[in-house]
Each structure stands twice: as C-alpha cells, then as structure tokens.
Amino acid sequence: MAMAMAGTATFSISSATSIFRTSSSLKFSSKPVLIPMRFSPKTQSPPRTLRIYALTSNDIKVGTNLEVDGAPWRILEFLHVKPGKGAAFVRTKMRNYITGNTVEKTFRAGSTIEEANVFKESKQFTYKDGSQFVFMDLNTFEESRLNEADVGDKTKWLKEGMDCNLLFWNGKIIDFELPITVQLTVVDVDPGLKGDTASGGSKPATVDTGAVVNVPLFVNIGDEILVDTRTGQYMSRA
C-alpha cells in the first residue's frame, strides 16, 4: 500500500498488530519537511562573452577601436577638454586601419559612438612567397597572406617561425602585430669598434632581418640581442 502525503510520517506501535487495527496509531507531523533530492548536473557549455559595441566618448582611450564612416579606426591619442564656455568634448588622433591615414577628430562629450568589431588571431609567420608573407594557424593549418605593402616597416623585425597577431574586421585582415620583444642575431658591426668593451657608447649593428640597431660597444658579430619592436631600440643580450 503506497501513501503519498506531504510531511513526515511517525509510527507509534503498541503491538505487532496495532498498526493495522486503528488509524489513530498513524500520526502525521504538521511541520513541513524539505526532502533533499539529488540531480545529475547538466553539462554546461563554456560561457560566451558578449561584446557591447555601443560606446560613449567617455570610453575613449589609447587603443580603442572605433567605426567611423564605415571604416575601422584606432585611437592613438586623446584629450578630454572642458572649456569655460560651451560643451565639453574629446579631441582625438586616430589612424585608419585600411588606408593608414592619421587624422584628428573631436567627439562631443557623452555622445554615442560605435566600437569597431576588430579581433585578433594568433598566427605564425612561416615563409615568404614572392611578395607575399604567409602566416599559418597552427591549429587548423589554414594560411593567411599579407602583401609587402600591408606589412610595411614591420618586415625588418619579422623572422620565420615568429608568432604574430593578425587583426580582422568584417572577415578581412586589416593589420598585424609583432611581438613586443624579438630575439635577433647580430651579423655585422662597425669593424673599427668590433670587440670594444668600453661602456657608455653605442655603435650600429646589422641583425639577421636586415635591420640596423644601435647597440652597446661590447656587442659583437654572432651575439643574440633583444629588441623592442615598438621603438627599434636595443634592450639587452639574449
């Protein structure tokens, strides 16, 4: 006999048969009871990060990507201006990812602007095919190609096997980023200063990518050095 009732059932047994003789021997508590139940956890997919593309001019900072007049731009400089008379505004200097042009533009304080949906993917520079630089996704082995004009001056720091970030917008590559620090080999130095161990001076040295870097006087041919790709300056020996 099955009984489905809320609460906790308490049985008082006066004899072996009393439970069957009278219903008064079956007592129920009036207090509600919480019955713990065990559930099998569901497999959850990784949380998605939702990006909100609506910004205001107050969100502008160096490195912010904006979409202006249907093109992606990167903020290089900004300044919040609050004049004595008139409305506050933000003065910016920004670069067009597509054309490379740099312009100055002002935004009214608090005005709504659109963030450009620019995202990065890590790729490895594998080889140069004619005038094209070939980058490979090491997970999918898919190749992406950039022309010499797209690479520009960055080619002087680029070596095969180097991991870089390719920037995409609307499914197109619009730029790429080198590692901040690269390790290069000195292949030539001024012969008159070769082997000089004096401190406090510097000399030009040619590295294996063809770039020329000012290095301390003690650096010789064959030395491995670290260079900051943002400034082109020598950092230290590797």
Side-chain angles (χ1 to χ4, degrees):
M1 177 179 182
M3 301 182 66
M5 299 185 67
T8 302
T10 303
F11 296 93
S12 299
I13 303 176
S14 58
S15 66
T17 59
S18 62
I19 189 172
F20 300 103
R21 284 201 302 264
T22 173
S23 61
S24 62
S25 62
L26 185 59
K27 300 177 181 180
F28 296 93
S29 170
S30 61
K31 296 180 179 180
V33 176
L34 296 177
I35 302 176
M37 301 183 70
R38 182 174 297 175
F39 297 92
S40 299
K42 293 182 179 181
T43 303
Q44 297 182 350
S45 57
R48 293 182 178 181
T49 302
L50 298 178
R51 295 185 59 188
I52 300 175
Y53 301 114
L55 304 175
T56 71
S57 58
N58 298 329
D59 298 316
I60 290 178
K61 58 184 178 180
V62 174
T64 300
N65 296 313
L66 302 180
E67 186 166 328
V68 180
D69 298 329
W73 298 76
R74 179 181 176 87
I75 299 296
L76 304 177
E77 300 174 9
F78 75 98
L79 178 66
H80 290 273
V81 181
K82 199 169 186 179
K85 293 183 179 180
F89 60 91
V90 182
R91 180 184 294 123
T92 67
K93 184 177 182 180
M94 55 189 196
R95 180 176 65 86
N96 188 308
Y97 275 112
I98 306 299
T99 65
N101 293 337
T102 300
V103 301
E104 292 186 357
K105 185 175 178 63
T106 59
F107 297 91
R108 183 169 48 84
S111 60
T112 301
I113 52 180
E114 187 176 356
E115 182 183 9
N117 184 17
V118 176
F119 64 93
K120 302 178 183 180
E121 288 187 1
S122 179
K123 310 281 186 180
Q124 186 179 91
F125 172 54
T126 51
Y127 63 96
K128 188 178 180 183
D129 183 13
S131 62
Q132 292 187 323
F133 294 80
V134 182
F135 295 81
M136 178 178 289
D137 186 315
L138 297 183
N139 294 319
T140 64
F141 303 106
E142 180 182 355
E143 291 185 346
S144 301
R145 293 172 177 255
L146 292 176
N147 296 319
E148 287 182 339
D150 300 323
V151 177
D153 291 341
K154 296 176 184 177
T155 183
K156 62 185 178 182
W157 310 121
L158 196 56
K159 292 180 64 174
E160 291 185 2
M162 184 177 289
D163 291 330
C164 303
N165 287 324
L166 268 59
L167 277 64
F168 291 81
W169 176 75
N170 285 354
K172 299 179 293 185
I173 301 174
I174 57 173
D175 200 0
F176 88 102
E177 297 175 341
L178 292 165
I180 293 176
T181 304
V182 293
Q183 181 174 328
L184 304 172
T185 304
V186 176
V187 297
D188 190 25
V189 291
D190 190 322
L193 298 174
K194 182 178 179 181
D196 196 328
T197 58
S199 60
S202 64
K203 60 185 178 183
T206 303
V207 294
D208 51 343
T209 59
V212 176
V213 182
N214 284 325
V215 299
L217 297 175
F218 57 77
V219 173
N220 294 312
I221 293 176
D223 287 349
E224 299 284 332
I225 62 173
L226 299 179
V227 177
D228 188 326
T229 58
R230 297 168 299 181
T231 62
Q233 293 183 345
Y234 167 90
M235 298 175 64
S236 67
R237 276 177 169 169

